């Protein structure tokens, strides 16, 4: 408060100097000094408050926090924002409405592990050793995540991010393929393929729940456990100026369809006439949506929501046998038809992505890898297959993503597959597929036949041959990558 005495001037001399030299204590001079002092003190208090607010909102002009939410087996039509009329998902809808909705978002595979491998490597899953589901029993496991390729969290760590994976891992039980070994600073979740029970968190009687490398046995529904861990992580990281990347992979709505009983009753009370089978799945999805809402609220309460890029998607389409809704699309989980691979996809980032925007550009899970890298201010390897959609999200000129030739593959055991691969390839509006290793290839014009009902394999032999050659080339490319541990 001595500052105004020295700074305020009277007759071109500091007021304090005039008072000392003359011994005159003019009341107007003193009042001016006091007013100036008060103004500067209030300004100082305001700047302190502004600084504190800036700390709470975690440098909104700096590197964004990144939250990637992955659902498990969520059908294309099983959110209200994607046309579901018997389901209410206000929190997933909140992400969709506050950012960009993709009508042609795709998983890289119609089953779990390959899609996750694609997201975390930015490559086609069969080229990183994961053409099929990695399971806890070696005799029925169809993939080994190659050590040759760096995962997304490693690149983000170099950009000074703290990285965390919470929820379902499903990319191997080997020590070298644990989340911590593959670049995540923090892991809290389930290492295995699926849970036999959402409350006991076991698979074949074995506990695969971990916090980092330590076995834990938390109580409660898995969705609620993962949500709670995510909230705790966000709260802890919000106290740091270091940006974070949180990969939140829910187990829901994968089988067993086991929502809390009160959620089933809530759905049945609202949706008169709905079968209990459908109500159970709807309840499991709405229960997950509620958890997502709690996570979004945690971002807001921690003051970091405005500086967080949020991406939501699923690892494959919904499973028809448990009552999933894949909208107007043919097929479901395990199928190469659209219902097995097309999924909800949305991204939100306040101030960067226009709310309510919609894109019909074809985007795959592997495209999230370079997108997240670019948002974090780091460059992905040039050799990856994925393409960044960050320019598209932020309203800038985007690459011609729809001109790509895109591939899907799955290897599986069982009577239907016998350890064989089956594929799909898409270029523009054309899609070539076989839905099991022992079915003939089918050709569809997705622009005029989005339901994939009219097989043009015999009537358009030129396109059939062209896509067959490209598919063969991709099969050769991936063929040299081991899908089992060397």
């Amino acid at each position: 408060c001595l500052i105004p005495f020295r700074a305020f001037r009277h007759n071109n001399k500091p007021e304090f100097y005039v008072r000392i030299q003359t011994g005159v204590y003019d009341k107007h001079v003193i009042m001016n000094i006091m007013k100036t002092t008060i103004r500067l003190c209030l300004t100082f208090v305001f700047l302190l408050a502004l600084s504190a607010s800036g700390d709470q909102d975690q440098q909104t002009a700096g590197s964004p926090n990144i939250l990637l939410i992955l659902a498990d087996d969520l059908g294309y039509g099983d959110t209200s924002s994607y046309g579901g009329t018997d389901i209410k998902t206000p929190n997933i809808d909140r992400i969709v409405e506050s950012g960009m909705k993709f009508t042609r978002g795709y998983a890289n595979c119609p089953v779990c592990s390959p899609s996750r491998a694609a997201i975390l490597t930015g490559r086609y899953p069969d080229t990183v050793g994961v053409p099929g589901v990695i399971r806890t029993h070696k005799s029925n496991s169809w993939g080994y995540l190659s050590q040759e390729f760096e995962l997304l969290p490693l690149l983000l760590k170099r950009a000074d991010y703290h990285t965390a994976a919470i929820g379902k891992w499903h990319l191997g039980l080997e020590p070298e393929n644990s989340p911590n070994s593959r670049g995540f600073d923090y892991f809290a979740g389930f290492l295995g393929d699926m849970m036999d029970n959402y409350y006991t968190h076991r698979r074949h009687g074995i506990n695969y729940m971990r916090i980092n490398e330590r076995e834990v046995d938390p109580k409660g529904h898995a969705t609620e456990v993962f949500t709670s861990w995510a909230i705790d992580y966000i709260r802890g990281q919000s106290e740091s100026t270091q940006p974070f990347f949180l990969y939140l992979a829910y187990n829901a709505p994968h089988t067993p369809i086991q929502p809390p009983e009160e959620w089933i009753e809530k759905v049945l009370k609202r949706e008169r006439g709905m079968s209990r089978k459908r109500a159970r799945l709807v309840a499991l999805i709405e229960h997950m949506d509620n958890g997502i809402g709690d996570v979004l609220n945690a971002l807001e309460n921690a003051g970091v929501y405005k500086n967080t890029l949020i991406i939501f998607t699923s690892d494959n389409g919904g499973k028809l046998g448990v009552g999933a809704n894949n909208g107007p699309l043919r097929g479901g989980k395990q199928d190469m038809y659209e219902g097995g691979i097309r999924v909800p996809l949305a991204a939100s980032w306040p101030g960067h992505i226009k709310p309510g925007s919609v894109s019909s550009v074809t985007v795959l899970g592997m495209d999230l890898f370079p997108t997240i890298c670019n948002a974090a201010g780091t460059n992905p390897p040039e050799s990856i297959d994925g393409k960044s959609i960050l320019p598209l999200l932020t309203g800038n000129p985007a690459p011609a993503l729809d001109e790509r030739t895109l591939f899907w593959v799955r290897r599986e055991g069982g009577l239907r597959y016998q350890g064989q691969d089956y594929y799909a390839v898409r270029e523009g509006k054309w899609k070539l597929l076989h839905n099991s290793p022992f079915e003939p290839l089918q050709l569809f014009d997705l622009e005029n036949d989005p339901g994939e009902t009219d097989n043009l394999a015999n009537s358009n032999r030129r396109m059939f041959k062209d896509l067959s050659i490209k598919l063969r080339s991709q099969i050769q490319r991936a063929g040299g990558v081991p899908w089992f541990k060397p």
Side-chain angles (χ1 to χ4, degrees):
C1 291
L2 289 175
I3 295 173
F5 287 93
R6 297 185 180 277
F8 192 87
R9 306 184 71 84
H10 179 71
N11 292 335
N12 205 33
K13 290 184 178 181
E15 199 75 49
F16 184 64
Y17 175 83
V18 171
R19 180 172 62 83
I20 293 297
Q21 293 297 316
T22 62
V24 176
Y25 292 86
D26 184 89
K27 66 178 181 179
H28 297 293
V29 172
I30 293 173
M31 288 298 296
N32 285 337
I33 293 172
M34 292 176 64
K35 289 178 181 178
T36 305
T37 301
I38 292 171
R39 283 198 299 268
L40 287 173
C41 287
L42 289 174
T43 301
F44 181 67
V45 171
F46 172 77
L47 290 174
L48 281 176
L50 187 63
S51 175
S53 174
D55 287 343
Q56 186 180 18
D57 204 29
Q58 212 188 54
Q59 7 146 240
T60 55
S63 298
N65 303 303
I66 300 167
L67 170 61
L68 171 57
I69 304 174
L70 185 67
D72 195 337
D73 294 2
L74 181 67
Y76 185 80
D78 263 335
T79 67
S80 40
S81 52
Y82 275 82
T85 58
D86 61 355
I87 193 167
K88 297 190 181 302
T89 53
N91 298 296
I92 295 172
D93 300 346
R94 176 179 166 190
I95 299 172
V96 173
E97 294 163 2
S98 63
M100 182 174 286
K101 171 185 176 181
F102 290 86
T103 58
R104 292 199 331 210
Y106 287 85
N108 269 87
C109 188
V111 291
C112 302
S113 299
S115 294
R116 295 161 196 266
I119 288 172
L120 293 178
T121 65
R123 304 169 190 269
Y124 287 111
D126 50 339
T127 68
V128 298
V130 191
V133 176
I134 297 174
R135 294 194 175 91
T136 53
H137 287 174
K138 187 176 181 180
S139 61
N140 196 28
S141 185
W142 304 91
Y144 174 78
L145 185 58
S146 173
Q147 299 294 302
E148 180 182 346
F149 305 101
E150 292 186 327
L151 269 57
L152 178 59
L154 278 175
L155 276 72
L156 296 179
K157 281 163 66 74
R158 294 188 192 126
D160 196 34
Y161 273 73
H162 192 276
T163 60
I166 294 177
K168 180 177 174 179
W169 177 238
H170 203 179
L171 285 173
L173 300 175
E174 308 88 2
E176 68 273 18
N177 272 334
S178 72
N180 296 118
S181 297
R182 297 311 297 260
F184 284 102
D185 294 310
Y186 177 73
F187 171 65
F190 187 78
L191 283 177
D193 49 355
M194 62 170 281
M195 295 179 187
D196 294 327
N197 186 294
Y198 271 82
Y199 289 94
T200 61
H201 322 129
R202 300 295 195 269
R203 177 61 164 159
H204 304 307
I206 300 173
N207 181 10
Y208 291 108
M209 281 291 221
R210 302 287 188 274
I211 291 183
N212 294 324
E213 307 292 345
R214 177 171 57 89
E215 181 178 327
V216 295
D217 195 10
K219 305 302 178 185
H221 194 281
T223 297
E224 296 170 4
V225 171
F226 295 159
T227 295
S228 177
W229 282 343
I231 291 171
D232 289 344
Y233 176 77
I234 290 168
R235 286 173 178 167
Q237 285 304 120
S238 68
E239 297 176 0
S240 169
T241 57
Q242 183 183 22
F244 65 81
F245 167 60
L246 172 55
Y247 169 54
L248 174 56
Y250 281 104
N251 198 69
H254 195 288
T255 55
I257 310 303
Q258 194 180 15
E261 191 65 31
E262 62 269 23
W263 283 80
I264 302 174
E265 298 307 319
K266 175 182 174 182
V267 171
L268 287 172
K269 184 177 180 180
R270 185 188 73 224
E271 302 293 335
R272 301 293 184 181
M274 177 183 281
S275 70
R276 190 167 181 86
K277 175 182 175 180
R278 172 65 180 165
R280 291 177 68 86
L281 180 64
V282 169
L284 189 59
I285 295 170
E286 292 187 357
H287 182 234
M288 177 184 67
D289 179 81
N290 184 73
I292 291 172
D294 289 342
V295 172
L296 298 181
N297 290 339
L299 291 172
E300 288 194 329
N301 294 336
V304 298
Y305 176 81
K306 291 182 179 179
N307 193 34
T308 301
L309 167 61
I310 303 169
I311 301 172
F312 174 82
T313 190
S314 177
D315 62 351
N316 49 253
K319 187 174 182 178
L320 297 179
V322 298
N325 174 17
N326 292 311
L329 308 176
R330 180 179 179 180
K333 178 181 180 177
Q334 300 184 352
D335 292 325
M336 285 297 177
Y337 297 119
E338 292 289 280
I341 56 178
R342 200 190 300 190
V343 293
L345 172 63
S348 171
W349 186 8
H352 297 268
I353 301 175
K354 182 181 177 181
S357 52
V358 179
S359 173
S360 61
V361 171
T362 302
V363 178
L364 269 67
M366 65 185 182
D367 297 327
L368 301 181
F369 182 103
T371 302
I372 290 172
C373 283
N374 288 167
T378 187
N379 293 320
E382 294 183 359
S383 58
I384 65 171
D385 301 302
K387 302 297 181 184
S388 175
I389 61 169
L390 187 64
L392 178 64
L393 292 173
T394 55
N396 295 308
L401 296 173
D402 283 335
E403 297 178 4
R404 296 182 291 175
T405 303
L406 300 169
F407 303 94
W408 290 263
V409 63
R410 185 200 176 193
R411 177 175 294 162
E412 188 53 90
L415 293 176
R416 179 181 174 187
Y417 307 104
Q418 293 293 312
Q420 304 296 310
D421 296 338
Y422 60 109
Y423 300 90
V425 53
R426 175 174 179 167
E427 188 172 86
K429 68 177 185 175
W430 295 102
K431 180 181 174 185
L432 183 73
L433 68 91
H434 53 171
N435 209 42
S436 95
F438 309 108
E439 293 181 4
L441 288 164
Q442 304 171 68
L443 179 67
F444 297 104
D445 176 353
L446 292 180
E447 184 177 298
N448 297 304
D449 180 26
E452 298 172 293
T453 59
D454 186 12
N455 181 9
L456 303 177
N458 292 324
S459 60
N460 193 335
R461 296 303 296 177
R462 183 189 64 79
M463 182 56 63
F464 182 93
K465 182 178 179 180
D466 181 52
L467 291 181
S468 297
I469 292 172
K470 291 175 179 177
L471 176 57
R472 184 175 66 204
S473 177
Q474 176 68 8
I475 293 171
Q476 288 179 320
R477 175 191 170 202
V481 181
W483 54 269
F484 50 87
K485 186 172 181 176

